[in-house]
Amino acid sequence: MSDLAVYLSIRWLRHNVSMRAMRIAVAGPTGFIAPHIVNCLREHGDHIVDDGSEADAVILVHAFTQEDAEAAVRLFRGRTGKLVVLSSGDVYRAYGVLRGTESRELERLPITEDSRLRTTLYPYRNDPKLAEYEKILVERAVMGVSDLPACVLRLPAVYGPGDRHHRFGRWVKQMVDASPVIQIGAGMASWRWTHGYVENVADAIVLAATDGRTGGRIYNIGEQAVPTVRERLESFGRVFGWSGQIETVPDDMPLDFRQDMAVSTVRFRSELGYVDPISPEEAVSRTIGWEKLTG
């Protein structure tokens, strides 16, 4: 029996032995990831409730600022079983090194939940829409509240159907157009950045919400093996059936690509027995199909 089959069997047994479905509220049920979370909850037979006071857990999807997090704590403390907060891998010091806001000393890899965080807050201060964005402050606001157990999930770059950024849309369009060459920056070509296919990320979020062991824990979420950008492009080419060449050119982004953003998801996988339900190849195939329809 495969690891995925074992994992799904254990999920089924835990759900059915409990003799009742979990009641989960999704705070912020719109956007890219949230609809997939809702679909995953329904597939697992859990009940989606509107009132967090009636929920076994609340999944806080859109907490971008300290004010957002503090408002959620006031609303849900003492009223719900657990708060699951979606954070980001951008909290790590490595992200600041990449962007040049921290000293140039590189962070050791892989990045774990115990790796150093950024010392410079507000990474997008120059963007008026994101000036107050800071997941580090979100995490501080929700962790350690005595009457509100919290679980923080540090998400990767999420891709797949519904991705408004169309992270791989340019590649797919070039393949559809039968471009003989796709260019990528020389530094970026060997850079590693953890991604996560949206259905896998949603499944991990649902597991964190419904498993009783996750209160008070922080987890990295994302793919198990992190390819370089070139390797990722090659995988898209194989699945698509593209026969062109990859050409490296000078980088045009002001990032220090010596600093990889490859995070470890060992803690989440080992503590909860998690296995991605969608394989990397199938994730790429579904993404290509969606991009071809919407690009």
Side-chain angles (χ1 to χ4, degrees):
M1 183 179 290
S2 68
D3 290 344
L4 176 58
V6 171
Y7 165 69
L8 294 176
S9 296
I10 293 172
R11 287 279 292 270
W12 184 90
L13 284 170
R14 284 178 180 161
H15 187 276
N16 286 276
V17 168
S18 70
M19 300 304 290
R20 73 172 181 86
M22 298 287 284
R23 298 166 301 177
I24 308 296
V26 181
T30 59
F32 172 31
I33 300 175
H36 291 276
I37 297 172
V38 171
N39 289 340
C40 188
L41 286 166
R42 288 173 176 158
E43 289 173 1
H44 286 287
D46 295 303
H47 295 313
I48 301 166
V49 298
D50 295 327
D51 187 349
S53 65
E54 300 175 354
D56 296 300
V58 174
I59 301 172
L60 186 59
V61 178
H62 301 305
F64 299 129
T65 69
Q66 181 178 357
E67 183 179 4
D68 292 340
E70 290 173 347
V73 169
R74 289 193 298 270
L75 181 61
F76 296 119
R77 68 182 309 168
R79 303 178 64 214
T80 191
K82 179 169 59 183
L83 187 65
V84 178
V85 180
L86 305 191
S87 185
S88 168
D90 69 18
V91 299
Y92 291 113
R93 181 183 176 277
Y95 187 72
V97 175
L98 174 72
R99 289 175 56 89
T101 61
E102 301 282 333
S103 67
R104 292 173 60 84
E105 176 194 357
L106 299 182
E107 286 290 294
R108 297 177 61 181
L109 298 176
I111 300 165
T112 73
E113 292 85 351
D114 297 321
S115 294
R116 292 184 291 180
L117 304 185
R118 284 183 285 104
T119 59
T120 302
L121 299 181
Y122 303 108
Y124 313 116
R125 197 59 138 175
N126 293 330
D127 184 339
K129 294 181 179 179
L130 296 172
E132 297 301 317
Y133 171 99
E134 183 50 84
K135 289 290 190 176
I136 291 175
L137 299 182
V138 169
E139 293 185 9
R140 289 177 186 172
V142 300
M143 294 299 285
V145 179
S146 60
D147 52 352
L148 182 62
C151 172
V152 166
L153 303 178
R154 292 174 177 162
L155 301 192
V158 183
Y159 71 96
D163 176 14
R164 69 183 187 278
H165 298 296
H166 293 272
R167 295 181 189 276
F168 305 118
R170 183 175 64 86
W171 291 351
V172 174
K173 184 179 187 307
Q174 290 176 282
M175 293 176 189
V176 168
D177 293 341
S179 298
V181 173
I182 295 179
Q183 296 180 335
I184 54 175
M188 178 181 281
S190 59
W191 183 54
R192 297 179 190 273
W193 182 18
T194 298
H195 283 64
Y197 178 65
V198 65
E199 293 178 69
N200 289 339
V201 172
D203 189 72
I205 293 167
V206 169
L207 177 59
T210 56
D211 193 298
R213 297 170 291 177
T214 59
R217 301 294 285 158
I218 296 175
Y219 297 106
N220 289 331
I221 303 298
E223 59 201 349
Q224 187 169 18
V226 184
T228 66
V229 173
R230 185 186 186 104
E231 290 167 344
R232 198 181 298 277
L233 174 52
E234 290 171 344
S235 73
F236 269 76
R238 283 194 302 272
V239 174
F240 186 94
W242 176 70
S243 58
Q245 301 294 316
I246 299 171
E247 178 182 306
T248 57
V249 297
D251 292 295
D252 60 359
M253 300 179 68
L255 300 175
D256 187 348
F257 289 117
R258 298 177 307 141
Q259 178 63 68
D260 287 325
M261 285 298 300
V263 306
S264 168
T265 59
V266 168
R267 177 185 291 182
F268 188 75
R269 295 173 186 277
S270 62
E271 290 188 5
L272 304 183
Y274 179 76
V275 177
D276 293 318
I278 308 298
S279 70
E281 295 77 15
E282 180 63 20
V284 169
S285 178
R286 294 185 185 188
T287 302
I288 289 173
W290 177 77
E291 289 287 358
K292 288 168 72 174
L293 288 173
T294 60

